Amino acid sequence: MKRDNLNIMSDIKIIEELKAQLLCVIGEFYRLLTKGSNVAQEAILDCISGAIIILYVLAERLGYSFSAVDDTMKKKLKVGIIEEDIVEREGKNLSKLYTHIKERN
């Protein structure tokens, strides 16, 4: 088997592992939310940050740069802001996130 084939198989295995990890993190997140306010906020924050990390790494493994992900998120956020998405109307969350992403670049 050629070295290139080994890399492809390794990449596929890593991508599948990342997808499985993402499902587990999201499942854990939902499980924590069903427990109500007694849940440690740190555990919820762990799930959210873990999912974001996995998605960034998965994007890179699929050939997208972190910058490309950020740029696409900014475009989507702009659309939501312009169209006054309910999340934007009810708390300016999209504007806050857009500003955060823009400032960290």
Side-chain angles (χ1 to χ4, degrees):
M1 191 178 267
K2 291 183 180 177
R3 181 74 181 136
D4 289 344
N5 289 342
L6 290 175
N7 285 341
I8 292 169
M9 291 305 293
S10 175
D11 286 346
I12 290 171
K13 185 177 179 183
I14 292 170
I15 288 168
E16 291 303 315
E17 175 66 25
L18 289 167
K19 289 167 36 181
Q21 286 177 15
L22 182 60
L23 286 173
C24 289
V25 167
I26 291 171
E28 177 66 8
F29 177 69
Y30 279 115
R31 189 185 69 74
L32 289 169
L33 290 178
T34 64
K35 292 189 173 206
S37 61
N38 295 334
V39 174
Q41 289 184 3
E42 188 174 317
I44 291 173
L45 193 54
D46 261 3
C47 286
I48 293 169
S49 60
I52 292 168
I53 291 167
I54 292 167
L55 287 168
Y56 268 96
V57 173
L58 184 57
E60 185 179 50
R61 284 290 176 162
L62 294 171
Y64 302 99
S65 68
F66 300 145
S67 296
V69 173
D70 287 348
D71 292 343
T72 302
M73 285 186 350
K74 286 189 282 190
K75 288 175 190 171
K76 290 178 74 87
L77 288 167
K78 279 184 186 178
V79 169
I81 292 165
I82 291 167
E83 293 179 354
E84 295 184 339
D85 182 278
I86 188 167
V87 175
E88 179 65 11
R89 279 195 316 264
E90 298 297 324
K92 301 289 184 198
N93 300 95
L94 301 181
S95 294
K96 292 175 191 174
L97 181 55
Y98 177 81
T99 300
H100 171 75
I101 292 170
K102 197 169 114 182
E103 287 176 355
R104 74 178 183 188
N105 290 335

